RNA sequence: GGGCUGGUAGCUCAAUGGUAGAGCAGUUGCCUUUUAAGCAAUUGGUUCCGGGUUCGAAUCCCGGCCGGCCCA
């Protein structure tokens, strides 16, 4: 053993561990059970009245994110849920011993402080600290203060670090919470009731997607994680819940990409005695109020910049309404598109640069053109109506033209944001549609849902809104991962 | 699943096949209204992992792991 201690000055974790040990030896608790605050940072700052320095006392707490040490005084900043507030710590105010302890604090430590509000000569409202407490010691250093954390993998795997050092991430993810909260208040104000329906299902219905399968041990049966909430919510219409909604986690066992997370959040709304036209009004009112009251564009307009194209999306203008058929005709230049023989459709689609799977049916070829060539160009809010009947087995057929549906797909920013239907409430028509769709796999038909329809479901409008995609749009995010707190990544890798 | 691309200090990034560096953070000093505070000095590396080529590999090749973008 040597008399000289090992030099740990290069190892920030070791340095902090040593400080921790010294505190414990001195009888100081580095991880306190509580700290009494009076205000969040932003609320505290608002209390200051110009020209009345040191008139208001506050107690605040947060993570130490900036330290500017000037010898016998320091300016530091702490971060809480509302943002940052600056603290001014003076040796001759707090006393020599406390000041020495303050100098031992590290960036990342969680600190509580009590003091009075004043305005510095550069105009920043600041807490003149009279007393302070280390609330929780941080044993690991924070990422770089200026560039923040930019390694995408670490941003997602250690989101807590991203939230501490990247203000845009914190703002964007808080915005998501406000969006969801606004949706709840908006719908409740119109007498919709929020319900919760099962995630574990015997049949995965209401959409076309591959489900996750899990196993219930006590019952010894497999369950599917739901791929939609539609069939449960419609049972509630039968039960007399006339206006229901669920903001629910949906699971689809499919690819992971910039636009897809295996679990995502869907709003589904059902309104008895309404129809798809009623849903148009509902979604337009909902989205414009969201932009106006939650996003609050700086210029006072209802315009949001589309991240992909840089184009403005104006929620305040007239929302375009266009028939699916007309979009297809315009995109292909074929007035008689729907009457073309399949071979001609394939040739034309391939000429447009699409690859067509040989087993596809004609409506699938047409829809490939819609989703690849048309949808991405629909940047401003657009209701696409009169979709072909093959596309939505749960919707009512149009009375005048039974080859199309009483539905719309609302497309904004080139993405499908909200499909809505006049809901099918004829049990026989619904059964026929299910049986045709299921083909060989009749056991996948949700018989209890059909039984419920036979008891009588009121006519209704229904709509699904992908909350994640909506948040991508509203926040100008580039990827679904940027609006999900903990997006799915392959296990392993990452932090150790 | 396929194509392209990336992984270097705690973080953000450099480094013609030839001694692995900088800024921030850390450490030691100075500084009682700072704003990426400033000044001086200074520590810190399994270059993602495993093979290979080479006198010599962060760099070239092969395989793997984990990301990103595009496509399916």
């Amino acid at each position: 053993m040597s008399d000289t201690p090992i030099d740990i000055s290069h190892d920030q974790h070791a340095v902090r561990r040593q400080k921790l040990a010294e505190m414990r030896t001195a009888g100081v608790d580095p991880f306190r059970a509580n700290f009494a605050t009076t205000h969040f940072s932003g609320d505290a700052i608002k209390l200051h009245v110009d020209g009345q320095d040191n008139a208001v006392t506050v107690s605040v707490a947060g993570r130490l994110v900036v330290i500017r040490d000037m010898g016998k005084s320091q300016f530091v900043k702490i971060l809480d849920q509302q943002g940052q507030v600056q603290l001014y710590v003076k040796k001759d105010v707090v006393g020599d011993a406390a000041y020495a302890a303050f100098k031992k604090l590290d960036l990342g430590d969680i600190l509580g402080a009590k003091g009075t509000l004043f305005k510095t000569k550069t105009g920043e409202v600041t807490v003149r600290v009279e007393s302070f407490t280390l609330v929780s010691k941080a044993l690991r250093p924070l990422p770089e203060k200026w560039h923040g954390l930019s390694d995408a993998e670490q941003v997602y795997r250690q989101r807590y670090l991203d939230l501490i050092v990247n203000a845009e991430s914190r703002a964007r993810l808080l915005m998501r919470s406000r969006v969801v909260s606004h949706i709840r208040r908006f719908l409740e104000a119109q007498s919709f009731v929020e319900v919760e329906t099962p995630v574990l299902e015997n049949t995965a219905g209401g959409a076309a997607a591959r489900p996750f399968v899990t196993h219930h041990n006590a019952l010894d049966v497999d369950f599917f994680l739901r791929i939609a909430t539609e069939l449960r919510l419609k049972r509630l219409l039968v039960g007399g819940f006339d206006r229901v909604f669920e903001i629910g986690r949906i699971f689809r066992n499919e690819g992971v990409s910039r636009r897809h997370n295996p679990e995502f959040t869907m709003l589904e709304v059902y309104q008895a005695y309404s129809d798809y036209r009623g849903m148009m009004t509902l979604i337009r009112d909902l989205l414009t109020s969201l932009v106006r009251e939650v996003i609050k564009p700086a210029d006072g307009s209802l315009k949001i910049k589309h991240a992909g194209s840089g184009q403005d999306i104006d929620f305040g203008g007239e929302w375009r309404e266009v028939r699916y058929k007309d979009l297809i005709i315009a995109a292909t230049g074929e007035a008689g598109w729907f009457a073309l023989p399949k071979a001609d459709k394939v040739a034309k689609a391939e000429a447009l640069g699409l690859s067509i799977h040989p087993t596809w049916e004609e409506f699938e070829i047409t829809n490939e053109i819609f989703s690849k060539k048309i949808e991405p160009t629909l940047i401003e809010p657009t209701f696409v109506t009169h979709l072909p009947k093959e596309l939505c087995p749960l919707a009512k057929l149009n009375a005048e033209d039974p080859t199309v549906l009483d539905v719309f797909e609302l497309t904004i920013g080139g993405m499908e944001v909200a499909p809505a239907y006049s809901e099918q409430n004829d049990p026989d028509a619904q059964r026929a549609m299910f049986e045709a769709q299921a083909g060989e796999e009749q056991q996948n038909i949700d018989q209890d849902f059909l039984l419920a329809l036979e008891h009588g479901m009121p006519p209704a409008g229904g709509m699904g809104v992908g909350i994640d995609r909506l948040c991508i749009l509203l926040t100008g995010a580039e990827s679904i991962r940027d609006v999900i707190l903990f997006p799915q990544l392959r296990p392993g890798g990452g932090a150790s």
Side-chain angles (χ1 to χ4, degrees), chain A residues 68 86 90 120-122 145 153 157 481 490:
Chain A
R68 296 192 191 103
Q86 181 165 261
K90 259 176 103 172
T120 65
K121 66 183 182 190
T122 51
K145 66 178 176 186
E153 186 172 356
R157 288 196 199 275
R481 288 182 283 260
R490 199 179 283 275

mmCIF file of all heavy atoms in Angstrom, chain A residues 68 86 90 120-122 145 153 157 481 490, chain B residues 12 25-26 32-35 37 66-67 69:
data_model
loop_
_atom_site.group_PDB
_atom_site.id
_atom_site.type_symbol
_atom_site.label_atom_id
_atom_site.label_comp_id
_atom_site.label_asym_id
_atom_site.label_seq_id
_atom_site.Cartn_x
_atom_site.Cartn_y
_atom_site.Cartn_z
ATOM 1 N N ARG A 68 -21.965 28.596 -12.384
ATOM 2 C CA ARG A 68 -20.987 29.633 -12.717
ATOM 3 C C ARG A 68 -20.384 30.110 -11.405
ATOM 4 O O ARG A 68 -20.992 30.879 -10.666
ATOM 5 C CB ARG A 68 -21.651 30.788 -13.479
ATOM 6 C CG ARG A 68 -22.199 30.349 -14.810
ATOM 7 C CD ARG A 68 -22.602 31.497 -15.704
ATOM 8 N NE ARG A 68 -23.354 30.961 -16.823
ATOM 9 C CZ ARG A 68 -24.675 31.027 -16.945
ATOM 10 N NH1 ARG A 68 -25.392 31.670 -16.045
ATOM 11 N NH2 ARG A 68 -25.280 30.495 -17.974
ATOM 12 N N GLN A 86 -32.722 30.543 -12.000
ATOM 13 C CA GLN A 86 -31.361 30.826 -11.552
ATOM 14 C C GLN A 86 -31.334 31.084 -10.043
ATOM 15 O O GLN A 86 -32.252 31.698 -9.483
ATOM 16 C CB GLN A 86 -30.823 32.052 -12.294
ATOM 17 C CG GLN A 86 -29.397 32.408 -11.910
ATOM 18 C CD GLN A 86 -28.754 33.380 -12.881
ATOM 19 O OE1 GLN A 86 -28.005 32.997 -13.755
ATOM 20 N NE2 GLN A 86 -29.060 34.657 -12.731
ATOM 21 N N LYS A 90 -24.343 33.508 -2.256
ATOM 22 C CA LYS A 90 -23.259 34.388 -1.808
ATOM 23 C C LYS A 90 -22.702 33.878 -0.503
ATOM 24 O O LYS A 90 -23.445 33.567 0.433
ATOM 25 C CB LYS A 90 -23.823 35.800 -1.575
ATOM 26 C CG LYS A 90 -23.551 36.769 -2.683
ATOM 27 C CD LYS A 90 -24.231 38.100 -2.391
ATOM 28 C CE LYS A 90 -23.217 39.125 -1.897
ATOM 29 N NZ LYS A 90 -23.814 40.465 -1.788
ATOM 30 N N THR A 120 -31.440 40.417 -11.577
ATOM 31 C CA THR A 120 -30.024 40.741 -11.748
ATOM 32 C C THR A 120 -29.875 41.937 -12.674
ATOM 33 O O THR A 120 -30.833 42.362 -13.318
ATOM 34 C CB THR A 120 -29.251 39.576 -12.375
ATOM 35 O OG1 THR A 120 -29.746 39.374 -13.704
ATOM 36 C CG2 THR A 120 -29.423 38.301 -11.567
ATOM 37 N N LYS A 121 -28.658 42.427 -12.772
ATOM 38 C CA LYS A 121 -28.487 43.611 -13.624
ATOM 39 C C LYS A 121 -28.621 43.272 -15.102
ATOM 40 O O LYS A 121 -28.791 44.163 -15.929
ATOM 41 C CB LYS A 121 -27.149 44.297 -13.331
ATOM 42 C CG LYS A 121 -25.912 43.532 -13.680
ATOM 43 C CD LYS A 121 -24.706 44.365 -13.242
ATOM 44 C CE LYS A 121 -23.391 43.717 -13.600
ATOM 45 N NZ LYS A 121 -22.260 44.409 -12.975
ATOM 46 N N THR A 122 -28.590 41.983 -15.443
ATOM 47 C CA THR A 122 -28.892 41.623 -16.831
ATOM 48 C C THR A 122 -30.364 41.256 -16.995
ATOM 49 O O THR A 122 -30.784 40.811 -18.050
ATOM 50 C CB THR A 122 -28.008 40.453 -17.306
ATOM 51 O OG1 THR A 122 -28.098 39.398 -16.341
ATOM 52 C CG2 THR A 122 -26.565 40.874 -17.464
ATOM 53 N N LYS A 145 -23.153 20.262 -21.865
ATOM 54 C CA LYS A 145 -24.170 21.273 -21.574
ATOM 55 C C LYS A 145 -24.635 22.045 -22.809
ATOM 56 O O LYS A 145 -25.732 22.572 -22.810
ATOM 57 C CB LYS A 145 -23.642 22.265 -20.536
ATOM 58 C CG LYS A 145 -22.486 23.118 -21.029
ATOM 59 C CD LYS A 145 -22.058 24.090 -19.953
ATOM 60 C CE LYS A 145 -20.835 24.874 -20.390
ATOM 61 N NZ LYS A 145 -20.300 25.723 -19.336
ATOM 62 N N GLU A 153 -29.447 6.678 -30.119
ATOM 63 C CA GLU A 153 -29.685 5.472 -29.331
ATOM 64 C C GLU A 153 -29.770 5.801 -27.840
ATOM 65 O O GLU A 153 -30.652 5.336 -27.123
ATOM 66 C CB GLU A 153 -28.565 4.467 -29.590
ATOM 67 C CG GLU A 153 -28.814 3.144 -28.925
ATOM 68 C CD GLU A 153 -27.803 2.095 -29.332
ATOM 69 O OE1 GLU A 153 -26.946 2.388 -30.201
ATOM 70 O OE2 GLU A 153 -27.875 0.989 -28.786
ATOM 71 N N ARG A 157 -32.780 5.223 -25.232
ATOM 72 C CA ARG A 157 -32.591 4.250 -24.150
ATOM 73 C C ARG A 157 -32.501 4.928 -22.789
ATOM 74 O O ARG A 157 -32.904 4.361 -21.789
ATOM 75 C CB ARG A 157 -31.310 3.441 -24.381
ATOM 76 C CG ARG A 157 -31.404 2.451 -25.519
ATOM 77 C CD ARG A 157 -30.274 1.439 -25.443
ATOM 78 N NE ARG A 157 -30.066 0.767 -26.718
ATOM 79 C CZ ARG A 157 -30.750 -0.316 -27.114
ATOM 80 N NH1 ARG A 157 -31.675 -0.834 -26.329
ATOM 81 N NH2 ARG A 157 -30.506 -0.864 -28.280
ATOM 82 N N ARG A 481 -40.614 8.048 -32.835
ATOM 83 C CA ARG A 481 -39.810 7.847 -31.621
ATOM 84 C C ARG A 481 -39.631 9.146 -30.838
ATOM 85 O O ARG A 481 -39.320 9.117 -29.654
ATOM 86 C CB ARG A 481 -38.432 7.281 -31.994
ATOM 87 C CG ARG A 481 -38.472 5.844 -32.445
ATOM 88 C CD ARG A 481 -37.090 5.336 -32.754
ATOM 89 N NE ARG A 481 -36.635 5.843 -34.035
ATOM 90 C CZ ARG A 481 -36.662 5.152 -35.173
ATOM 91 N NH1 ARG A 481 -37.101 3.913 -35.173
ATOM 92 N NH2 ARG A 481 -36.256 5.677 -36.286
ATOM 93 N N ARG A 490 -34.381 -2.638 -29.993
ATOM 94 C CA ARG A 490 -33.876 -3.989 -29.759
ATOM 95 C C ARG A 490 -33.196 -4.024 -28.392
ATOM 96 O O ARG A 490 -32.459 -3.101 -28.049
ATOM 97 C CB ARG A 490 -32.867 -4.318 -30.850
ATOM 98 C CG ARG A 490 -32.579 -5.763 -31.039
ATOM 99 C CD ARG A 490 -31.580 -5.929 -32.163
ATOM 100 N NE ARG A 490 -32.191 -5.771 -33.484
ATOM 101 C CZ ARG A 490 -32.793 -6.746 -34.147
ATOM 102 N NH1 ARG A 490 -32.870 -7.938 -33.619
ATOM 103 N NH2 ARG A 490 -33.314 -6.525 -35.331
ATOM 104 P P U B 12 -23.018 12.348 -27.387
ATOM 105 O OP1 U B 12 -24.371 12.240 -27.949
ATOM 106 O OP2 U B 12 -22.030 11.267 -27.595
ATOM 107 O "O5'" U B 12 -22.354 13.699 -27.913
ATOM 108 C "C5'" U B 12 -23.139 14.880 -28.044
ATOM 109 C "C4'" U B 12 -22.331 15.962 -28.712
ATOM 110 O "O4'" U B 12 -21.234 16.350 -27.855
ATOM 111 C "C3'" U B 12 -21.660 15.552 -30.010
ATOM 112 O "O3'" U B 12 -22.553 15.590 -31.103
ATOM 113 C "C2'" U B 12 -20.530 16.567 -30.113
ATOM 114 O "O2'" U B 12 -21.012 17.815 -30.561
ATOM 115 C "C1'" U B 12 -20.113 16.720 -28.648
ATOM 116 N N1 U B 12 -18.978 15.842 -28.290
ATOM 117 C C2 U B 12 -17.699 16.329 -28.520
ATOM 118 O O2 U B 12 -17.501 17.426 -29.009
ATOM 119 N N3 U B 12 -16.682 15.483 -28.170
ATOM 120 C C4 U B 12 -16.802 14.223 -27.619
ATOM 121 O O4 U B 12 -15.800 13.582 -27.360
ATOM 122 C C5 U B 12 -18.160 13.787 -27.419
ATOM 123 C C6 U B 12 -19.169 14.596 -27.751
ATOM 124 P P A B 25 -17.147 23.374 -18.572
ATOM 125 O OP1 A B 25 -18.005 24.260 -17.759
ATOM 126 O OP2 A B 25 -15.685 23.586 -18.625
ATOM 127 O "O5'" A B 25 -17.392 21.865 -18.123
ATOM 128 C "C5'" A B 25 -18.706 21.397 -17.845
ATOM 129 C "C4'" A B 25 -18.668 19.921 -17.509
ATOM 130 O "O4'" A B 25 -18.158 19.168 -18.635
ATOM 131 C "C3'" A B 25 -17.730 19.545 -16.367
ATOM 132 O "O3'" A B 25 -18.301 19.777 -15.093
ATOM 133 C "C2'" A B 25 -17.507 18.067 -16.645
ATOM 134 O "O2'" A B 25 -18.628 17.304 -16.281
ATOM 135 C "C1'" A B 25 -17.381 18.079 -18.171
ATOM 136 N N9 A B 25 -15.987 18.297 -18.553
ATOM 137 C C8 A B 25 -15.394 19.446 -19.009
ATOM 138 N N7 A B 25 -14.108 19.328 -19.240
ATOM 139 C C5 A B 25 -13.830 18.020 -18.899
ATOM 140 C C6 A B 25 -12.638 17.269 -18.908
ATOM 141 N N6 A B 25 -11.466 17.757 -19.298
ATOM 142 N N1 A B 25 -12.707 15.979 -18.508
ATOM 143 C C2 A B 25 -13.878 15.498 -18.119
ATOM 144 N N3 A B 25 -15.077 16.090 -18.066
ATOM 145 C C4 A B 25 -14.975 17.370 -18.478
ATOM 146 P P G B 26 -17.367 20.279 -13.904
ATOM 147 O OP1 G B 26 -18.207 20.358 -12.694
ATOM 148 O OP2 G B 26 -16.610 21.459 -14.354
ATOM 149 O "O5'" G B 26 -16.342 19.074 -13.744
ATOM 150 C "C5'" G B 26 -16.792 17.813 -13.269
ATOM 151 C "C4'" G B 26 -15.626 16.874 -13.131
ATOM 152 O "O4'" G B 26 -15.007 16.690 -14.420
ATOM 153 C "C3'" G B 26 -14.490 17.383 -12.250
ATOM 154 O "O3'" G B 26 -14.758 17.153 -10.884
ATOM 155 C "C2'" G B 26 -13.311 16.566 -12.758
ATOM 156 O "O2'" G B 26 -13.361 15.257 -12.246
ATOM 157 C "C1'" G B 26 -13.609 16.518 -14.260
ATOM 158 N N9 G B 26 -12.920 17.584 -15.004
ATOM 159 C C8 G B 26 -13.501 18.614 -15.690
ATOM 160 N N7 G B 26 -12.634 19.397 -16.276
ATOM 161 C C5 G B 26 -11.399 18.855 -15.952
ATOM 162 C C6 G B 26 -10.083 19.262 -16.297
ATOM 163 O O6 G B 26 -9.745 20.231 -16.989
ATOM 164 N N1 G B 26 -9.121 18.433 -15.758
ATOM 165 C C2 G B 26 -9.378 17.330 -14.976
ATOM 166 N N2 G B 26 -8.313 16.651 -14.545
ATOM 167 N N3 G B 26 -10.604 16.929 -14.650
ATOM 168 C C4 G B 26 -11.560 17.731 -15.167
ATOM 169 P P U B 32 -14.150 37.977 -5.461
ATOM 170 O OP1 U B 32 -13.697 38.971 -4.480
ATOM 171 O OP2 U B 32 -14.248 36.535 -5.093
ATOM 172 O "O5'" U B 32 -15.578 38.419 -6.000
ATOM 173 C "C5'" U B 32 -16.328 37.600 -6.879
ATOM 174 C "C4'" U B 32 -17.803 37.880 -6.688
ATOM 175 O "O4'" U B 32 -18.192 37.445 -5.354
ATOM 176 C "C3'" U B 32 -18.165 39.357 -6.795
ATOM 177 O "O3'" U B 32 -19.444 39.434 -7.407
ATOM 178 C "C2'" U B 32 -18.275 39.796 -5.340
ATOM 179 O "O2'" U B 32 -19.141 40.883 -5.138
ATOM 180 C "C1'" U B 32 -18.838 38.530 -4.704
ATOM 181 N N1 U B 32 -18.577 38.396 -3.270
ATOM 182 C C2 U B 32 -19.664 38.418 -2.421
ATOM 183 O O2 U B 32 -20.804 38.531 -2.826
ATOM 184 N N3 U B 32 -19.357 38.299 -1.091
ATOM 185 C C4 U B 32 -18.121 38.171 -0.543
ATOM 186 O O4 U B 32 -17.995 38.067 0.665
ATOM 187 C C5 U B 32 -17.023 38.163 -1.491
ATOM 188 C C6 U B 32 -17.294 38.280 -2.796
ATOM 189 P P U B 33 -19.739 40.589 -8.482
ATOM 190 O OP1 U B 33 -18.709 40.531 -9.539
ATOM 191 O OP2 U B 33 -19.976 41.849 -7.739
ATOM 192 O "O5'" U B 33 -21.111 40.106 -9.098
ATOM 193 C "C5'" U B 33 -21.166 38.951 -9.931
ATOM 194 C "C4'" U B 33 -22.285 39.112 -10.938
ATOM 195 O "O4'" U B 33 -23.544 39.132 -10.226
ATOM 196 C "C3'" U B 33 -22.227 40.405 -11.759
ATOM 197 O "O3'" U B 33 -22.743 40.116 -13.042
ATOM 198 C "C2'" U B 33 -23.221 41.309 -11.027
ATOM 199 O "O2'" U B 33 -23.809 42.298 -11.838
ATOM 200 C "C1'" U B 33 -24.267 40.283 -10.598
ATOM 201 N N1 U B 33 -25.096 40.678 -9.457
ATOM 202 C C2 U B 33 -26.434 40.948 -9.714
ATOM 203 O O2 U B 33 -26.921 40.873 -10.823
ATOM 204 N N3 U B 33 -27.166 41.320 -8.624
ATOM 205 C C4 U B 33 -26.729 41.431 -7.336
ATOM 206 O O4 U B 33 -27.511 41.771 -6.459
ATOM 207 C C5 U B 33 -25.323 41.147 -7.154
ATOM 208 C C6 U B 33 -24.577 40.784 -8.206
ATOM 209 P P U B 34 -22.017 40.569 -14.413
ATOM 210 O OP1 U B 34 -20.737 41.201 -14.077
ATOM 211 O OP2 U B 34 -23.035 41.285 -15.205
ATOM 212 O "O5'" U B 34 -21.744 39.192 -15.173
ATOM 213 C "C5'" U B 34 -20.602 38.408 -14.859
ATOM 214 C "C4'" U B 34 -20.963 36.958 -14.927
ATOM 215 O "O4'" U B 34 -21.869 36.633 -13.844
ATOM 216 C "C3'" U B 34 -21.726 36.559 -16.182
ATOM 217 O "O3'" U B 34 -20.855 36.314 -17.257
ATOM 218 C "C2'" U B 34 -22.436 35.291 -15.727
ATOM 219 O "O2'" U B 34 -21.557 34.192 -15.736
ATOM 220 C "C1'" U B 34 -22.763 35.621 -14.267
ATOM 221 N N1 U B 34 -24.142 36.077 -14.051
ATOM 222 C C2 U B 34 -25.136 35.126 -14.096
ATOM 223 O O2 U B 34 -24.909 33.954 -14.336
ATOM 224 N N3 U B 34 -26.396 35.580 -13.855
ATOM 225 C C4 U B 34 -26.762 36.873 -13.571
ATOM 226 O O4 U B 34 -27.942 37.131 -13.368
ATOM 227 C C5 U B 34 -25.681 37.808 -13.545
ATOM 228 C C6 U B 34 -24.438 37.388 -13.776
ATOM 229 P P U B 35 -21.298 36.718 -18.753
ATOM 230 O OP1 U B 35 -20.145 36.418 -19.608
ATOM 231 O OP2 U B 35 -21.897 38.062 -18.721
ATOM 232 O "O5'" U B 35 -22.458 35.700 -19.114
ATOM 233 C "C5'" U B 35 -22.151 34.328 -19.391
ATOM 234 C "C4'" U B 35 -23.426 33.582 -19.725
ATOM 235 O "O4'" U B 35 -24.381 33.786 -18.664
ATOM 236 C "C3'" U B 35 -24.100 34.047 -21.027
ATOM 237 O "O3'" U B 35 -24.614 32.920 -21.693
ATOM 238 C "C2'" U B 35 -25.241 34.905 -20.523
ATOM 239 O "O2'" U B 35 -26.326 34.950 -21.380
ATOM 240 C "C1'" U B 35 -25.611 34.187 -19.212
ATOM 241 N N1 U B 35 -26.304 35.073 -18.270
ATOM 242 C C2 U B 35 -27.562 34.697 -17.825
ATOM 243 O O2 U B 35 -28.087 33.651 -18.134
ATOM 244 N N3 U B 35 -28.166 35.603 -16.994
ATOM 245 C C4 U B 35 -27.648 36.806 -16.580
ATOM 246 O O4 U B 35 -28.313 37.515 -15.843
ATOM 247 C C5 U B 35 -26.346 37.124 -17.088
ATOM 248 C C6 U B 35 -25.732 36.265 -17.906
ATOM 249 P P A B 37 -22.298 28.706 -19.072
ATOM 250 O OP1 A B 37 -21.516 27.693 -18.338
ATOM 251 O OP2 A B 37 -23.706 28.908 -18.831
ATOM 252 O "O5'" A B 37 -21.583 30.138 -18.917
ATOM 253 C "C5'" A B 37 -20.204 30.228 -18.797
ATOM 254 C "C4'" A B 37 -19.793 31.651 -18.994
ATOM 255 O "O4'" A B 37 -20.136 32.430 -17.806
ATOM 256 C "C3'" A B 37 -18.293 31.863 -19.138
ATOM 257 O "O3'" A B 37 -17.836 31.586 -20.442
ATOM 258 C "C2'" A B 37 -18.186 33.344 -18.777
ATOM 259 O "O2'" A B 37 -18.660 34.167 -19.825
ATOM 260 C "C1'" A B 37 -19.159 33.419 -17.602
ATOM 261 N N9 A B 37 -18.471 33.145 -16.336
ATOM 262 C C8 A B 37 -18.539 32.019 -15.559
ATOM 263 N N7 A B 37 -17.788 32.070 -14.497
ATOM 264 C C5 A B 37 -17.174 33.311 -14.572
ATOM 265 C C6 A B 37 -16.243 33.968 -13.753
ATOM 266 N N6 A B 37 -15.775 33.453 -12.635
ATOM 267 N N1 A B 37 -15.836 35.195 -14.129
ATOM 268 C C2 A B 37 -16.323 35.723 -15.265
ATOM 269 N N3 A B 37 -17.201 35.195 -16.115
ATOM 270 C C4 A B 37 -17.587 33.984 -15.708
ATOM 271 P P C B 66 -28.552 -6.934 -31.543
ATOM 272 O OP1 C B 66 -29.618 -7.359 -30.632
ATOM 273 O OP2 C B 66 -28.641 -7.221 -32.979
ATOM 274 O "O5'" C B 66 -28.324 -5.371 -31.361
ATOM 275 C "C5'" C B 66 -28.164 -4.826 -30.062
ATOM 276 C "C4'" C B 66 -27.798 -3.375 -30.142
ATOM 277 O "O4'" C B 66 -26.459 -3.242 -30.708
ATOM 278 C "C3'" C B 66 -28.649 -2.537 -31.080
ATOM 279 O "O3'" C B 66 -29.904 -2.210 -30.519
ATOM 280 C "C2'" C B 66 -27.743 -1.336 -31.303
ATOM 281 O "O2'" C B 66 -27.729 -0.498 -30.161
ATOM 282 C "C1'" C B 66 -26.370 -2.019 -31.420
ATOM 283 N N1 C B 66 -26.062 -2.310 -32.834
ATOM 284 C C2 C B 66 -25.461 -1.289 -33.591
ATOM 285 O O2 C B 66 -25.217 -0.210 -33.044
ATOM 286 N N3 C B 66 -25.179 -1.516 -34.904
ATOM 287 C C4 C B 66 -25.476 -2.693 -35.448
ATOM 288 N N4 C B 66 -25.180 -2.867 -36.735
ATOM 289 C C5 C B 66 -26.079 -3.747 -34.707
ATOM 290 C C6 C B 66 -26.355 -3.511 -33.410
ATOM 291 P P G B 67 -31.061 -1.638 -31.452
ATOM 292 O OP1 G B 67 -32.280 -1.612 -30.642
ATOM 293 O OP2 G B 67 -31.055 -2.310 -32.772
ATOM 294 O "O5'" G B 67 -30.561 -0.148 -31.638
ATOM 295 C "C5'" G B 67 -30.835 0.540 -32.817
ATOM 296 C "C4'" G B 67 -30.074 1.827 -32.811
ATOM 297 O "O4'" G B 67 -28.663 1.545 -33.033
ATOM 298 C "C3'" G B 67 -30.472 2.752 -33.939
ATOM 299 O "O3'" G B 67 -31.562 3.558 -33.549
ATOM 300 C "C2'" G B 67 -29.193 3.538 -34.179
ATOM 301 O "O2'" G B 67 -29.025 4.545 -33.200
ATOM 302 C "C1'" G B 67 -28.128 2.460 -33.962
ATOM 303 N N9 G B 67 -27.811 1.720 -35.190
ATOM 304 C C8 G B 67 -27.962 0.371 -35.403
ATOM 305 N N7 G B 67 -27.578 -0.011 -36.588
ATOM 306 C C5 G B 67 -27.152 1.153 -37.199
ATOM 307 C C6 G B 67 -26.632 1.368 -38.497
ATOM 308 O O6 G B 67 -26.434 0.546 -39.386
ATOM 309 N N1 G B 67 -26.332 2.714 -38.711
ATOM 310 C C2 G B 67 -26.505 3.715 -37.790
ATOM 311 N N2 G B 67 -26.171 4.937 -38.182
ATOM 312 N N3 G B 67 -26.990 3.526 -36.578
ATOM 313 C C4 G B 67 -27.288 2.229 -36.347
ATOM 314 P P C B 69 -34.337 7.178 -38.676
ATOM 315 O OP1 C B 69 -35.259 8.275 -38.333
ATOM 316 O OP2 C B 69 -34.714 5.775 -38.424
ATOM 317 O "O5'" C B 69 -33.941 7.307 -40.217
ATOM 318 C "C5'" C B 69 -33.486 8.532 -40.750
ATOM 319 C "C4'" C B 69 -32.967 8.317 -42.157
ATOM 320 O "O4'" C B 69 -31.809 7.442 -42.109
ATOM 321 C "C3'" C B 69 -33.916 7.613 -43.109
ATOM 322 O "O3'" C B 69 -34.895 8.476 -43.659
ATOM 323 C "C2'" C B 69 -32.945 7.070 -44.155
ATOM 324 O "O2'" C B 69 -32.522 8.088 -45.032
ATOM 325 C "C1'" C B 69 -31.767 6.639 -43.281
ATOM 326 N N1 C B 69 -31.860 5.219 -42.893
ATOM 327 C C2 C B 69 -31.445 4.252 -43.810
ATOM 328 O O2 C B 69 -31.031 4.623 -44.919
ATOM 329 N N3 C B 69 -31.506 2.942 -43.471
ATOM 330 C C4 C B 69 -31.962 2.586 -42.269
ATOM 331 N N4 C B 69 -32.002 1.284 -41.985
ATOM 332 C C5 C B 69 -32.396 3.547 -41.317
ATOM 333 C C6 C B 69 -32.332 4.843 -41.658
#
